[in-house]
Amino acid sequence: AFTLVARRDIKSGEELTVDYALFEADEDYIAKWDCNCGSPLCRKEITGKDWRLLKLQKRYKNHFTPLLNKHIKKLNS
């Protein structure tokens, strides 16, 4: 239903991370763990409502799952 796209070149052997906000649509979801990805942009707490954050909508514009892209379009119209 969706494809993950790298936002920069990836070195061989490099560990990859993904932002759950791109595909987590269950608004009741709250991760039972804190993220430790090391990114200065990390939110630490992961929830199913993260896609609603305007800063994430701007950062990942049109790169959410098709379902979340529809929700975002509806929310912002």
Side-chain angles (χ1 to χ4, degrees), residues 14-66:
E14 182 176 358
E15 183 176 358
L16 303 178
T17 61
V18 64
D19 192 328
Y20 279 55
L22 293 169
F23 53 82
E24 182 55 66
D26 177 359
E27 293 203 357
D28 294 327
Y29 177 79
I30 299 173
K32 295 178 182 172
W33 44 270
D34 286 341
C35 182
N36 293 307
C37 70
S39 168
L41 302 174
C42 184
R43 296 179 306 284
K44 302 292 183 206
E45 184 180 71
I46 308 300
T47 78
K49 294 181 182 178
D50 292 346
W51 64 268
R52 292 179 169 271
L53 299 171
L54 188 56
K55 65 183 178 183
L56 294 184
Q57 291 177 17
K58 289 180 181 179
R59 183 180 310 140
Y60 300 131
K61 185 174 181 156
N62 298 323
H63 285 93
F64 292 87
T65 60

